[in-house]
Amino acid sequence: MNPELEKLEHLISRALDGECTSDERKLLKSRLRNDPQARALFDELRTLDEALGDALRRATRRTWHIISFRSRWGRVGQGLIVTAAACLAAMAWLHPTPPKAGPARPTRSIPAQASLTPSWFAPSPPPADEVTPIPSAYERPQLRVRGTQRNWIVIPGDRPGTFMVIEVDRVRTHVIDVHRDF
Amino acid sequence: MTSMSIDGESLRQLVAEARQGDRAAADRLVREHASWVRSAIYAVTGRADLVEDVAQQVWTRAWEQLGTLEDPRRLRAWLYTIARNTAIDASIARRRQRELAATLDGQAVCDRRGRGPFGAAAGDELHETLLRAVQALPAIYREPFVLRHLEGWNYAEIGETLGLPVESVETRLVRARRLLREMLQGKVEP
């Protein structure tokens, strides 16, 4: 290769990369002013350099942007799911599902205003299944289902002489011999 | 452009803390170097679609081998070596995979480099032509050229990272431009 041209290439390359000294810049300027071929080469290399740099930046930025966009939205999605789950849990806690209809139990009625919790910091209402003393008029049903056995579970209360009694009618069971020789 | 915000002493301390398992120090190291490591991987492979996977492998290897880094001031060159080796391994693996797939399909192996997620979507013929030209450069010219354009590093920084004298960096950039000019003759109008 022509050593003069090679020298010019080096000078142009240094200029494009911002590595020229002030003397080199002056030299290049005068060369470009007086030599149309040098001017054409400089313009060509500069255009190529700009186009290639732009293409490289576009290519890498596009791919990495897609990846970072995905990971960023992935994180946002996870955050939204956690927030939604927290909201649902809070709603379920504040508005519990009403109990299914069934036989009336001897429970103390809860005042209407107490069933609503106005604030997270307000005292919580008494539990709905609090057991109250059995009224004196209560009579134990005489009817017994055949094949059942009546049991009681007695739990002492916090004051002397108070008990919680749980009456259980359970199906009678029989012990059956298991033949081990079949 | 990668920031060169960590001075030598801070870098030494940061590396020491990262070695002892300090997660914050490790995070800072990754943040400081992640951008140019990606550029380096792109410079070696010439494929943007490989970059993110290879970058993860690079950081995994880097943490595994952090104890072998003798001089923390040479962290960049050390990381570059890991990035280059990992990128070359990934390129070879991908090429083998492609060749095997082509053999199984009974099709001729064709070079589809550059038709990654960005290439196909761009729809810009000139853009693709330019990227193919960069990919076609020999790696020794492509690496400094890509680092110069993506990271904006000067010759000294490129030389320090690639382990080359400044004169070699300059010569390689001149040759890269010469080759690119030949390849793209008449395709880009001034």
Side-chain angles (χ1 to χ4, degrees):
Chain A
M1 174 173 249
N2 179 357
E4 194 59 32
L5 180 62
E6 194 165 353
K7 214 169 153 184
L8 180 64
E9 273 187 335
H10 271 263
L11 196 58
I12 292 173
S13 192
R14 286 176 65 79
L16 292 175
D17 292 332
E19 298 273 339
C20 271
T21 61
S22 58
D23 288 346
E24 286 172 333
R25 256 197 304 276
K26 279 180 200 160
L27 178 68
L28 182 64
K29 268 187 184 173
S30 89
R31 185 84 191 265
L32 295 179
R33 211 177 298 124
N34 303 321
D35 183 351
Q37 280 187 335
R39 179 84 234 179
L41 180 63
F42 177 80
D43 287 344
E44 192 182 350
L45 284 174
R46 190 180 58 183
T47 309
L48 259 182
D49 221 53
E50 283 169 1
L52 286 161
D54 184 52
L56 283 171
R57 280 187 292 275
R58 272 175 62 193
T60 51
R61 203 180 303 140
R62 193 185 189 100
T63 310
W64 300 337
H65 177 74
I66 289 166
I67 290 160
S68 64
F69 180 82
R70 277 183 193 151
S71 61
R72 188 165 61 241
W73 280 103
R75 281 198 294 276
V76 170
Q78 283 173 0
L80 285 174
I81 289 167
V82 170
T83 311
C87 287
L88 284 172
M91 282 171 68
W93 186 68
L94 289 171
H95 303 284
T97 314
K100 286 177 186 171
R105 289 183 299 172
T107 56
R108 193 174 70 192
S109 65
I110 301 162
Q113 65 272 24
S115 64
L116 296 170
T117 309
S119 159
W120 285 43
F121 304 103
S124 55
D129 57 350
E130 188 174 324
V131 178
T132 54
I134 297 170
S136 56
Y138 176 78
E139 281 190 13
R140 190 157 56 85
Q142 297 300 308
L143 182 66
R144 294 276 298 275
V145 179
R146 197 174 172 185
T148 62
Q149 178 179 321
R150 184 159 287 169
N151 293 99
W152 293 271
I153 301 167
V154 181
I155 302 169
D158 56 349
R159 290 191 302 276
T162 59
F163 302 94
M164 182 172 78
V165 180
I166 302 170
E167 193 176 83
V168 182
D169 280 344
R170 69 177 180 86
V171 177
R172 234 184 264 273
T173 55
H174 303 277
V175 176
I176 304 167
D177 288 336
V178 177
H179 295 278
R180 296 170 184 276
D181 55 348
F182 62 88
Chain B
M1 186 189 291
T2 303
S3 63
M4 301 287 172
S5 55
I6 306 180
D7 59 58
E9 182 53 31
S10 306
L11 184 62
R12 195 191 57 74
Q13 198 178 340
L14 211 55
V15 170
E17 286 168 0
R19 271 179 182 162
Q20 287 165 4
D22 183 337
R23 194 165 175 169
D27 282 350
R28 178 139 187 240
L29 277 179
V30 174
R31 272 202 307 276
E32 288 285 334
H33 296 275
S35 166
W36 77 256
V37 165
R38 285 189 181 127
S39 299
I41 294 163
Y42 181 78
V44 175
T45 60
R47 297 188 46 161
D49 59 320
L50 279 181
V51 168
E52 207 57 32
D53 285 347
V54 177
Q56 288 196 11
Q57 292 175 39
V58 169
W59 288 113
T60 308
R61 284 191 189 181
W63 298 129
E64 283 169 1
Q65 299 171 16
L66 196 58
T68 65
L69 174 62
E70 288 171 3
D71 182 0
R73 284 171 304 175
R74 287 192 41 77
L75 175 72
R76 215 146 41 110
W78 180 80
L79 262 179
Y80 190 84
T81 309
I82 294 176
R84 180 193 269 158
N85 293 339
T86 312
I88 290 170
D89 290 350
S91 292
I92 292 169
R94 183 60 68 95
R95 200 180 310 134
R96 279 191 191 142
Q97 202 179 0
R98 205 185 302 128
E99 283 170 4
L100 182 65
T103 311
L104 290 173
D105 290 347
Q107 294 169 347
V109 178
C110 62
D111 186 7
R112 292 192 183 118
R113 290 189 304 173
R115 294 191 185 178
F118 66 87
D124 183 349
E125 205 176 317
L126 176 64
H127 175 78
E128 236 181 283
T129 307
L130 294 168
L131 291 177
R132 279 171 188 273
V134 175
Q135 287 158 8
L137 281 176
I140 57 164
Y141 302 139
R142 189 174 58 234
E143 289 174 35
F145 187 81
V146 170
L147 288 175
R148 166 79 201 109
H149 281 87
L150 287 184
E151 294 304 311
W153 286 352
N154 59 32
Y155 292 175
E157 287 168 334
I158 296 172
E160 182 200 326
T161 307
L162 300 186
L164 293 171
V166 170
E167 295 76 23
S168 301
V169 173
E170 186 183 338
T171 307
R172 289 185 185 193
L173 283 167
V174 169
R175 288 185 185 161
R177 287 191 168 105
R178 192 184 298 155
L179 286 170
L180 288 166
R181 186 170 159 245
E182 285 168 14
M183 282 190 268
L184 297 166
Q185 196 86 46
K187 289 188 176 128
V188 181
E189 295 297 321

